[in-house]
Amino acid sequence: MSAEYMFQVPAFSHQAQSWHTINWYSVELTVRELQVRIAKATKQQQWRRVKALQRMLVRSFAAKCLAVKRVTENRGKRTAGVDGELWSTPESKWQATFRLKRQGYKPKPLRRIYIPKSNGKRRPLGIPTMLDRAMQALYLLALEPVSETTADRNSYGFRPMRSTADAIEQCFVNLSRKSSAEWVLEGDIKGCFDNISHDWLLANVVLDKQVLRKWLKAGFMESGKLNPTEAGTPQGGIISPVLANLALDGLEEVLESHFGKKNTKASYKTKVNYVRYADDFIITGISRELLENEVKPIVEAFMAERGLALSPEKTVITHITEGFDFLGQNLRKYNNGKMLIKPSAKSVKNVLKKIRDIVKGQKTVRADMLISQLNPILRGWANYNRHIVAKETFNYVDYRVWKLLWQWCRRRHNNRHKRWIKAKYFKSVGARNWTFSSITVDGFTKRLIYTNDTVIKRHIKLKAEANPYDLAFEEYFEQRLERAWRDSLQGQRKVLMLWLKQKHCCPMCRQKITKETGWNIHHIVERVKGGSDELSNLVLLHPNCHRQLHSLNVACYS
């Protein structure tokens, strides 16, 4: 065979006959075009047109395919609802697309489960059935362009292309200057998801009222008993975070109407600025009295309209020199007037507890298996904090982890000399002489990740007004996506090279490959047939496209 291989995209018929013959490029394009039109109509406040376009979208075959694809590829795909049904085969997914109909639709009750919270309490989750999840995903495609267009500029939770790093960076912008506000109202909503008024949602959310009412009133099953739901949106439903965001959106505009927009004369007098991530928010102000007597009553009245209330114990007013915790990080202005953001003490304590529990609970496993359990936790925590002043904290965490691992090694070999233990488990790698390492059964060397090796790099905040459904921001989001990939794939040069070579797209469906979509590396000529691992024989595909390619036995030839 010649050295050059050509990756051929399968030719799909216009009308799909099965799950693996769906033309995903056409599907994505159809849905995207309608979403852009919905966002444009929302911006112009043409509400009748918005509803007409939403109806067109939820009835389309393309949107139904995307909805089924989402619920069968996310992390909850193996978790069943009260009916025990899962869509794990191409045939069941294909049949599911024809079951997504408004007429005769009746959602089943949610399956109630509980997950532990960091304070020792348990958070209730409602697990819908696969059909209800797919219906929610379908209507979410129609609702999200509306929610993104009408959202508060400085709301960052449960929104596409936004993150906690954006929220923290906005806090820094509002508080870091010498002339910045020095008082902060830390807002905490009591049981936000459980208490949002159904009447308010039905009156204000631009969505099919009949379907929305059915979801809100579906109830939940616990210990074999059906319990009705009179308020709130269930934590666990795909559409719930967007409904919660819609209920909380508007507070920024209310505050601006009272205290002036940012960078205006009125705002310079009060310095009231607002940042929200999901149901956690902060509001800055020039004095404690302003926040206590003027801002807080406005917030309480706004929440009361939506059936919500602030938690008296957790809603506090703090001076910036005392510092406060927000989204797992501590923001504080020190005596020299410099503001530093560091990992919060609670965050450090939690990650060390996770590490300790694993090490103490895995006393007899092989070292490489222990490393496999520890690395994802250390990598995730370090990446979350890589945009702030975290080097000192990283050093401390690495030291505590080293102590735990040294104790683990000594316990296994209590009759061996310390030098023997060091030689067996701790190797010299680069400038580090104590890298915890092990040889796997396959003969590969596995090494522990050290958080201090994480490069600290300032996060570039998203533009507050950026909307992924507004074509004016298309190029802006593409530039951010490429920057994020370059930063996150520093150690995966091959993946980055493939991604850039393919111009960020999957050659099968011609849609963007992102961290959210995930990816698989496909060998054009299979290794069992003599294919190499060279870049010329590799292609980056979406996981679903990869399965689709293999199911159709697409020929790869010179």
Side-chain angles (χ1 to χ4, degrees), residues 411-427:
R411 181 190 174 279
R412 290 167 72 93
H413 307 284
N414 58 4
N415 60 341
R416 291 284 190 172
H417 198 277
K418 292 178 183 177
R419 287 184 181 177
W420 184 92
I421 295 172
K422 180 188 183 301
K424 179 174 175 62
Y425 291 104
F426 296 91
K427 312 296 181 185

Side-chain angles (χ1 to χ4, degrees), residues 6 71 90 266 286:
M6 190 159 184
V71 300
I286 201 166

